[in-house]
């Protein structure tokens, strides 16, 4: 099983439980790790035989654009779409980070990590 990672996908989104978070939004980063059998693509050198990074990035960006109160919810949607749309992927791990969260302290970011596997 091989690994593909997309690191530090940056988005501006309106996630959060507070009304002001919905209105003003904030910066987020997403790290994505997928596991898949990529042996065929190592031989064929064909995009059709691997997991397309563009498709992975598009899923992250589209799901981050849909407001959620909880990072858990958006992370679950990202993992589910990847497993639904990319049959080659066997396992996903997504880390969604809210930069400078409004939690009453000097905190650089808060990160939620969620892993899913194909049944």
């Amino acid at each position: 099983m091989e690994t593909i990672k997309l690191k530090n996908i940056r988005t501006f989104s309106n996630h959060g439980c507070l009304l002001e978070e919905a209105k003003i939004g904030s910066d987020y980063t997403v790290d994505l790790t997928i596991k898949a059998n990529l042996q065929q693509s190592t031989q064929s050198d064909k995009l059709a035989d691997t997991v397309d990074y563009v498709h992975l990035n598009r899923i992250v960006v589209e799901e981050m654009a849909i407001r959620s109160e909880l990072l858990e919810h958006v992370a679950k949607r990202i993992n589910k779409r990847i497993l639904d749309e990319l049959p080659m992927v066997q396992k996903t791990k997504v880390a969604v980070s809210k930069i400078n969260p409004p939690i009453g302290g000097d905190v650089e970011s808060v990160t939620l990590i969620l892993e899913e596997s194909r049944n």
Side-chain angles (χ1 to χ4, degrees):
M1 198 75 58
E2 290 70 46
T3 302
I4 294 175
K5 293 182 179 184
L6 278 71
K7 293 183 179 182
N8 205 27
I9 301 167
R10 291 175 293 282
T11 69
F12 186 84
S13 304
N14 296 80
H15 306 303
C17 296
L18 303 174
L19 185 58
E20 63 234 24
E21 291 175 299
K23 290 180 181 178
I24 63 172
S26 56
D27 292 312
Y28 291 80
T29 62
V30 178
D31 293 327
L32 179 64
T33 303
I34 65 103
K35 299 266 186 193
N37 182 345
L38 304 177
Q39 288 302 304
Q40 187 172 354
S41 64
T42 66
Q43 300 300 312
S44 72
D45 196 30
K46 301 294 180 197
L47 181 59
D49 294 330
T50 193
V51 178
D52 187 351
Y53 318 148
V54 173
H55 194 161
L56 292 170
N57 185 66
R58 182 173 55 246
I59 289 171
V60 170
V61 170
E62 288 174 0
E63 292 302 323
M64 288 298 291
I66 300 168
R67 177 171 158 63
S68 290
E69 288 189 12
L70 301 177
L71 298 181
E72 291 90 328
H73 191 257
V74 71
K76 176 72 174 182
R77 289 197 324 261
I78 292 168
N79 281 339
K80 183 177 183 329
R81 270 197 61 195
I82 291 168
L83 292 172
D84 287 349
E85 295 179 20
L86 299 164
M88 192 178 296
V89 174
Q90 295 302 307
K91 189 173 190 179
T92 63
K93 179 179 177 182
V94 65
V96 180
S97 299
K98 180 182 277 193
I99 309 304
N100 196 22
I103 61 174
D106 185 12
V107 178
E108 181 180 317
S109 66
V110 62
T111 301
L112 180 280
I113 301 170
L114 186 65
E115 296 182 49
E116 302 268 342
S117 294
R118 190 172 298 285
N119 293 337

